[in-house]
Amino acid sequence: MRLLVVEDDDAIAVPLVGGLERAGYTVDRAATGAEALVRVAGVDLVLLDLGLPDLDGADVCRHIRSVSQVPIIVVSARGDESDRVLGLELGADDYIVKPFGLRELIARVRAVSRRAAPEPDVIAVQRVGRLEIDRRARRVTVDAQEVALSPKEFDLLSLLGEDPGAVVSRHQIMDEVWDPHWYGPTKTLDVHVASLRKKLGDPTMIETVRSVGFRLRSQ
Ligand code: CA
């Protein structure tokens, strides 16, 4: 997922971009409103500071909305209700007030992108190479042989299977398979991945993407 951070203040933008990248996002940054309008093409979500040096953030928001349905989270230094209402009237999807924590922001980013996403096409019975995932029956087979998985192992495989070949970040896995507010070590995830690989009989089906997460091999 590609985010555009529109923020003129380096002291805020630099740690913010770093934190979002560590959370698994690809992040572009624009330091001005004009740059934001150029860079918005192709991003999946915009984080827009309203206090910009060149253009009025509200105009930037309105302009982006007039050309794109990309989700927008407005960032403001002030928390008063009029700003909040203004942000939403401009077509923003959510609103966050400075100072905010990275975790709070990531939770908003997830919530907004989930709402913006089209209905997920969760395939009931999905074949990926030698693997078949039957989500209705919660059964998994490899070469038509059933593999007995624990509930968490099944959920993990099912999540990776939603987009074979795509990396799912550790954080997202913890969030969706374990606890929506997970924060801390992810050792339990490694234990489940190891067990899943063993049960599937082919450790290369689930690939590790170092310091990011895991992906299901697409073939
Ligand atoms: Ca600013």
Side-chain angles (χ1 to χ4, degrees):
M1 190 170 157
R2 187 172 207 99
L3 306 184
L4 175 63
V5 170
V6 185
E7 171 62 70
D8 56 307
D9 186 348
D10 283 344
I12 294 172
V14 172
L16 183 58
V17 169
L20 290 168
E21 285 176 342
R22 280 192 300 280
Y25 296 101
T26 303
V27 187
D28 289 345
R29 183 200 165 189
T32 64
E35 205 183 334
L37 296 179
V38 172
R39 288 182 171 262
V40 69
V43 302
D44 302 303
L45 188 143
V46 178
L47 196 64
L48 176 66
D49 176 28
L50 285 184
L52 294 170
D54 57 339
L55 304 174
D56 183 343
D59 289 338
V60 175
C61 187
R62 215 178 276 121
H63 187 85
I64 292 173
R65 189 46 82 235
S66 71
V67 297
S68 160
Q69 283 305 306
V70 66
I72 302 170
I73 299 177
V74 156
V75 179
S76 169
R78 297 161 298 177
D80 60 51
E81 193 62 21
S82 60
D83 260 21
R84 185 178 297 264
V85 170
L86 175 68
L88 300 177
E89 274 177 358
L90 295 170
D93 298 84
D94 202 355
Y95 185 95
I96 194 165
V97 177
K98 288 177 184 174
F100 52 83
L102 189 62
R103 288 173 62 196
E104 182 192 357
L105 174 65
I106 289 173
R108 300 285 185 94
V109 166
R110 286 211 185 100
V112 165
S113 44
R114 245 193 304 260
R115 282 203 300 272
E119 286 299 300
D121 296 328
V122 175
I123 308 161
V125 181
Q126 180 187 15
R127 215 165 297 222
V128 185
R130 300 161 53 207
L131 188 69
E132 191 175 274
I133 304 169
D134 183 341
R135 294 191 172 83
R136 234 175 342 213
R138 291 181 65 90
R139 284 168 56 156
V140 167
T141 59
V142 175
D143 296 332
Q145 295 293 309
E146 185 161 356
V147 181
L149 298 182
S150 74
K152 291 289 186 209
E153 288 164 354
F154 181 87
D155 291 343
L156 171 59
L157 184 62
S158 174
L159 175 63
L160 295 176
E162 283 178 14
D163 192 359
V167 185
V168 186
S169 74
R170 286 178 163 273
H171 202 108
Q172 189 185 344
I173 297 171
M174 293 313 294
D175 196 68
E176 295 195 20
V177 176
W178 274 271
D179 177 344
H181 303 290
W182 185 271
Y183 186 76
T186 54
K187 180 106 185 91
T188 183
L189 172 55
D190 295 289
V191 173
H192 279 76
V193 168
S195 161
L196 195 50
R197 280 176 172 148
K198 202 169 161 191
K199 289 183 178 179
L200 295 175
D202 178 358
T204 68
M205 272 186 195
I206 298 174
E207 299 170 339
T208 302
V209 180
R210 264 187 74 190
S211 70
V212 181
F214 299 94
R215 71 174 152 232
L216 184 66
R217 206 180 59 201
S218 56
Q219 293 294 319

